[in-house]
Amino acid sequence: MTIEKGTLIEAVGERQMRLTAWQAQVIPTHQGPLAASGRIGWEATHDLQAVDLWLREVGSRSELTAEAYEREVRRFVLWLADAGKTITDVTREDFHRYASFLGNPGKKWICTKRYRLTDPRWRPFRKPLSEKSKLYSLQVIHSMLTWMHNSGWIQFNPMPAPNHLAPVTTSSRADMVETRQIPQRLFEELLEWCKDNLHTNSDSVRERYRNVRLRVVLMLAGYLGARSADIINAHFTDIHPRQHGDQVFHVWYIPDGKGRKSGLLPVHEKIMRVIREARLALGLMPDVAKAEAPCPIIVGAREIPHNRMPCLDKLKPIHRSSLYTLVSDALGKFAIYLRSLSRNSEAIIIEQASTHWLRHTAIKRVVLETKDITMAQRLARHENLNTTGVYATTSVYELQEFFGAHFSGSEQSSPTDSDY
C-alpha cells in the first residue's frame, strides 16, 4: 500500500467527501454490475459523486452528523478501493468481510495520533472499532445504500441488516442515561477544583484564559445542558439581557442548534460571572457593548498569546476534538486527585465521564429538583417529550433508596417454632 499526497477529489454539491493524503490507489470510478441502468434524473457519473450528494442531503440539518457519516463512508470507500472495487461492485459477502475488517483493520490502516487529511501520516482509524462502533458504522453504510437504491443509483441494496453483521447487546436508553451522569455534589467539587488547580499561572494571558475557559465549558454543559456544537459555536454577542417585570436576567440565543433549530436558554448570574471573567481575560469589557463584533466564547488556546492581549478579530472557536480533549484532560486530572484521597469509586465515575455526560447531568438535575418534565424538555431542547421522559424514569439508585427506607427500622428476628 502506498502513501501519497494529493488534491481534494472533485465532487458534485456543496459538501465533498475528502479523500486526500492516504489512498491505496486511485479511487476507481468505473460502474459495476450493481449500477442501475438509465439513472433518470441524475447528473452524477460515478459513485463518489453520488456519495457527495447523499452527504449533502443527510447533512443539511446537522454538520456534526454529516462529519460522522463522512468518516464512516470514507473508510468504506477506501477499503473497497484497496481491492480495486467501487460501491457498484460490492457483493453481499463483501459486507461480512468489511464487518470483520472494522474490528481488526491492521496496522497499515491505523495511526493513534490525529493528523490532517492532507498529512501523509493520516489513517482512517485510530484503533479497531468496538462492537457498538462497528454497528454504527455499518448502519451508516446501510442507510447510504438504501438511499442509493431508492434514488435509482443502484439496482438493489445487497447489504444484510447491520445487526446481523455486528450483533450487539443493547441496554435501554434510560439505563444508559442513568449510568452517564456525574453526581451533583461531585460536579460542584469538580468546578472548584479546576478553578484552584488547573492553569493557575496568573502572569500568563493564555493560562488565565484557559482556566476560565474550562469553567465556562463545564458550566454551559453541566448547568444548561449545552451540546458540544452549541459551545463551539457560541459567541459573546449571543448572550443578551432580558427584562421580565422588575427582573433583568441574561439569555443565551443558540441560532443553529441540533437539527438546524434555534434555542433560547436563561444564563444564571453564577454562570455570567465566569463568562465576564472570560471576557476580561481576552481584554474585553465585562459586558457586551452595543456594536461589538462577534467573538467566540471558547477560543483555541493557541490563538491566545502568552504575554499580551490577543487580536480579537483573528480569534477562531475551538475545534471539536480540542474541546473533547480539554474536558477529558481535566476529568483525568481530577480523577487522579480523587484517587490520592482514596476516593476510588468516585474516581472511576470521573474517569468514564465525557462532555456529553455533563448534558445528562444538567437535564437530570432539573427533573429531580422540579419534578417537571416539561421544564427539563425546555432545557434539553428536545422536540419530543418522550425523549426527555427517559430522565424521569426511576433510577436504580432511587429504587435502592426505596428499599433502604423500607427495610430501615424493621427488625429481622429469627423465626421461632410458633412461626411455622
Side-chain angles (χ1 to χ4, degrees):
M1 178 174 295
T2 58
I3 308 297
E4 58 185 63
K5 293 185 179 180
T7 58
L8 284 175
I9 292 177
E10 294 298 328
V12 173
E14 295 176 356
R15 185 169 191 88
Q16 299 179 351
M17 183 171 67
R18 295 157 291 178
L19 289 168
T20 60
W22 188 83
Q23 298 178 21
Q25 55 187 342
V26 176
I27 306 297
T29 57
H30 66 261
Q31 292 298 290
L34 196 60
S37 59
R39 288 182 177 167
I40 299 172
W42 282 90
E43 293 181 15
T45 58
H46 57 78
D47 291 344
L48 290 183
Q49 291 177 332
V51 168
D52 290 318
L53 189 58
W54 175 72
L55 285 171
R56 182 181 178 186
E57 292 184 10
V58 299
S60 62
R61 290 172 60 84
S62 172
E63 183 67 20
L64 293 180
T65 298
E67 288 182 7
Y69 284 12
E70 180 187 354
R71 179 187 64 238
E72 301 307 333
V73 175
R74 184 191 300 117
R75 288 169 171 168
F76 181 59
V77 168
L78 288 173
W79 179 80
L80 288 175
D82 196 40
K85 289 188 173 185
T86 67
I87 292 173
T88 49
D89 287 319
V90 72
T91 65
R92 194 173 185 87
E93 290 80 2
D94 280 330
F95 294 107
H96 289 273
R97 288 187 281 269
Y98 184 63
S100 299
F101 165 79
L102 291 173
N104 185 23
K107 291 183 179 180
K108 67 182 181 182
W109 293 85
I110 295 176
C111 182
T112 56
K113 294 184 178 180
R114 291 183 186 273
Y115 293 105
R116 294 181 181 275
L117 281 168
T118 50
D119 193 308
R121 294 170 292 182
W122 177 86
R123 295 293 185 276
F125 297 88
R126 295 183 69 187
K127 61 181 180 180
L129 299 190
S130 67
E131 291 302 313
K132 287 186 177 180
S133 295
K134 281 173 58 177
L135 178 60
Y136 173 78
S137 181
L138 293 167
Q139 287 171 335
V140 171
I141 303 304
H142 192 273
S143 175
M144 179 189 68
L145 292 173
T146 299
W147 176 89
M148 286 183 166
H149 174 228
N150 293 339
S151 302
W153 184 258
I154 57 178
Q155 297 182 55
F156 66 97
N157 181 357
M159 184 176 181
N163 61 335
H164 293 170
L165 296 169
V168 174
T169 301
T170 59
S171 57
S172 71
R173 177 166 169 76
D175 289 341
M176 182 273 291
V177 167
E178 179 188 345
T179 56
R180 297 183 182 182
Q181 297 176 39
I182 299 175
Q184 302 298 327
R185 172 191 53 78
L186 199 56
F187 174 69
E188 297 295 338
E189 185 179 354
L190 168 65
L191 279 173
E192 289 301 314
W193 185 85
C194 288
K195 177 181 178 181
D196 297 335
N197 295 277
L198 297 182
H199 312 297
T200 54
N201 180 9
S202 59
D203 294 331
S204 168
V205 174
R206 179 183 293 181
E207 289 301 290
R208 285 200 303 271
Y209 175 71
R210 291 180 74 183
N211 177 284
V212 70
R213 178 186 68 170
L214 174 60
R215 287 184 285 135
V216 171
V217 169
L218 294 176
M219 285 183 164
L220 293 181
Y223 287 141
L224 300 183
R227 298 181 175 93
S228 294
D230 301 331
I231 296 171
I232 293 168
N233 296 323
H235 290 75
F236 289 116
T237 47
D238 294 332
I239 299 177
H240 313 278
R242 177 171 286 196
Q243 187 165 357
H244 181 77
D246 295 333
Q247 274 191 329
V248 176
F249 63 102
H250 286 82
V251 296
W252 175 19
Y253 175 63
I254 302 172
D256 192 14
K258 186 176 181 180
R260 303 290 189 191
K261 294 179 181 178
S262 62
L264 198 65
L265 293 173
V267 184
H268 189 271
E269 184 59 28
K270 180 178 180 177
I271 305 173
M272 281 304 304
R273 283 197 293 269
V274 183
I275 290 176
R276 291 189 184 103
E277 282 187 55
R279 290 179 58 81
L280 290 171
L282 293 175
L284 293 165
M285 297 297 290
D287 292 299
V288 176
K290 186 176 181 179
E292 183 174 302
C295 174
I297 297 177
I298 308 301
V299 178
R302 293 182 180 179
E303 304 278 332
I304 310 296
H306 280 289
N307 300 313
R308 62 178 175 81
M309 290 301 174
C311 299
L312 298 178
D313 58 342
K314 295 183 179 180
L315 294 182
K316 297 179 181 179
I318 193 171
H319 190 270
R320 184 159 53 96
S321 61
S322 299
L323 177 66
Y324 175 84
T325 302
L326 169 72
V327 175
S328 61
D329 283 354
L331 292 172
K333 291 173 182 176
F334 183 55
I336 293 172
Y337 162 74
L338 293 175
R339 287 195 181 279
S340 71
L341 302 178
S342 298
R343 296 165 61 182
N344 295 321
S345 296
E346 293 171 319
I348 291 173
I349 294 174
I350 295 298
E351 286 168 346
Q352 295 174 339
S354 67
T355 311
H356 205 68
W357 279 41
L358 301 175
R359 174 172 165 81
H360 294 316
T361 301
I363 300 170
K364 186 65 174 182
R365 181 192 298 112
V366 174
V367 172
L368 289 175
E369 296 186 8
T370 69
K371 311 299 182 185
D372 187 342
I373 193 172
T374 59
M375 188 178 294
Q377 181 190 22
R378 178 62 191 267
L379 177 75
R381 290 167 287 138
H382 289 149
E383 184 175 2
N384 193 324
L385 190 61
N386 290 333
T387 307
T388 318
V390 297
Y391 293 89
T393 303
T394 299
S395 68
V396 69
Y397 172 76
E398 291 164 334
L399 195 59
Q400 186 271 342
E401 287 287 284
F402 162 76
F403 283 119
H406 177 74
F407 289 118
S408 63
S410 60
E411 297 181 1
Q412 303 296 318
S413 58
S414 300
T416 63
D417 291 341
S418 61
D419 293 325
Y420 294 98

